Amino acid sequence: MKKFFAVIFAGIILLTTANVLSANYVGNSNSKKFHYSDCASAAKIKPANKIIFSSRDEAVASGYVQCKICQP
């Protein structure tokens, strides 16, 4: 039973890591904040104000600050 839980836990860690590494970042051109693409706040951004970043560094270099909820 311990092996089963160890395998499940390892799978969860792997999936979480893969999601973070492949995440796109979404910025709001009005607020100058950026979010993980699956953040609830990112879903509320109007399409006209939405900017997609391929990396956290790109968002920061563009003058955006991180969301206080998802903390990308």
Side-chain angles (χ1 to χ4, degrees):
M1 192 65 146
K2 287 182 182 180
K3 285 184 181 181
F4 173 77
F5 286 115
V7 169
I8 296 298
F9 182 72
I12 291 170
I13 296 294
L14 182 63
L15 288 174
T16 302
T17 303
N19 286 340
V20 170
L21 291 176
S22 66
N24 285 327
Y25 299 89
V26 179
N28 183 327
S29 62
N30 283 337
S31 68
K32 294 292 187 184
K33 292 184 182 177
F34 71 98
H35 315 264
Y36 283 123
S37 58
D38 62 349
C39 176
S41 296
K44 297 176 184 178
I45 301 172
K46 292 180 181 179
N49 301 328
K50 193 176 282 192
I51 301 194
I52 306 297
F53 297 106
S54 60
S55 71
R56 183 184 195 285
D57 292 338
E58 181 185 3
V60 172
S62 297
Y64 285 71
V65 296
Q66 71 179 7
C67 168
K68 291 182 181 180
I69 297 170
C70 65
Q71 299 180 350

